[in-house]
Amino acid sequence: MPAERRAERPNRHEAITHAMEDYLKVIYLLEEEQGRVSTQAIAEHLNVQSPSVTNMLKRLASLKLVDHTPYRGVTLTPAGRRIALEVIRHHRLLELYLTEALGYSWDAVHEEADRLEHSISEELESRIDALLGYPSADPHGHPIPTPEGELPLNEATRLDQVDAGSTVTIERVSDRNPEQLRYLAALGLLPGVEVAVLDRLPFSGPMRVRVGEQEHYLSRELAHAVFVSVPVQDGR
């Protein structure tokens, strides 16, 4: 299996740097949210200047890893998508390994996995996968791509879009902000937990939710970082 996956990468694999892999991963994640990805969105996500993004996109386009049209954004080619999913698979397996095997808290694993995701071998990836029992999701609920580079379709809804009166189940949460993750954990807002949406205050006001026996007010920004599944009977 690992040999097959390496063979699927571009012939110019040797020219693909860690920085390029970072760009491909970010483009994939942004594409999931918004379709064709703007240069500005990539710059904000990676905290770099737009001219640097433009230069990198030209390099990726020359390797046929992205389709880039100036002022119209960028999308991954099939080759770029395969590399992005391989990096995402490494990242999410590492996050789970760090929490399950090494006792890291879920708010401390993202940056650590960022540093390690480019370096692990296919053999180590396979051993981690087996040790963890071939998991399907990372500690934050994000699906782990399969060894074949497939990712299950996830149609979760952001919590800030859920109507009052609905009871939903948390599928995953954004893992970009450690302080936010610590706060969500303190409130009990974890993957697999049921949340009752009691009220949505108008004019972008907070949401009132119930988790177990506890009620909490969540800002719309915080609720935007929580993805949930909504039962069919709630009209979705």
Side-chain angles (χ1 to χ4, degrees), residues 26-180:
V26 165
I27 292 168
Y28 180 89
L29 295 174
L30 291 173
E31 248 187 323
E32 275 194 313
E33 294 182 6
Q34 61 194 49
R36 200 169 185 93
V37 181
S38 70
T39 299
Q40 184 61 32
I42 299 170
E44 291 175 358
H45 199 94
L46 290 173
N47 195 27
V48 297
Q49 298 298 314
S50 292
S52 297
V53 176
T54 299
N55 289 336
M56 177 60 83
L57 293 180
K58 289 178 180 178
R59 293 172 65 189
L60 294 173
S62 72
L63 292 171
K64 302 189 185 304
L65 299 175
V66 301
D67 289 321
H68 177 227
T69 304
Y71 308 109
R72 297 188 61 186
V74 61
T75 58
L76 295 175
T77 64
R81 186 175 186 274
R82 283 194 294 271
I83 294 173
L85 284 168
E86 184 174 350
V87 177
I88 291 169
R89 174 173 167 79
H90 287 176
H91 182 98
R92 293 177 178 174
L93 278 173
L94 283 165
E95 286 192 332
L96 192 60
Y97 178 74
L98 290 168
T99 56
E100 294 289 327
L102 300 183
Y104 278 66
S105 61
W106 80 332
D107 56 279
V109 294
H110 182 71
E111 290 186 3
E112 198 72 57
D114 271 343
R115 287 188 284 268
L116 296 170
E117 66 191 12
H118 306 289
S119 304
I120 68 170
S121 66
E122 302 300 325
E123 174 65 21
L124 179 55
E125 175 207 304
S126 179
R127 287 174 179 261
I128 290 174
D129 193 24
L131 177 68
L132 296 173
Y134 307 101
S136 59
D138 73 9
H140 312 103
H142 298 283
I144 298 173
T146 68
E148 295 77 25
E150 298 173 353
L151 195 63
L153 182 64
N154 193 315
E155 298 182 345
T157 301
R158 292 183 186 269
L159 182 57
D160 64 328
Q161 300 299 312
V162 176
D163 294 331
S166 299
T167 298
V168 297
T169 302
I170 298 176
E171 294 288 328
R172 65 185 192 274
V173 298
S174 173
D175 60 0
R176 294 189 63 193
N177 187 326
E179 291 185 8
Q180 188 178 79

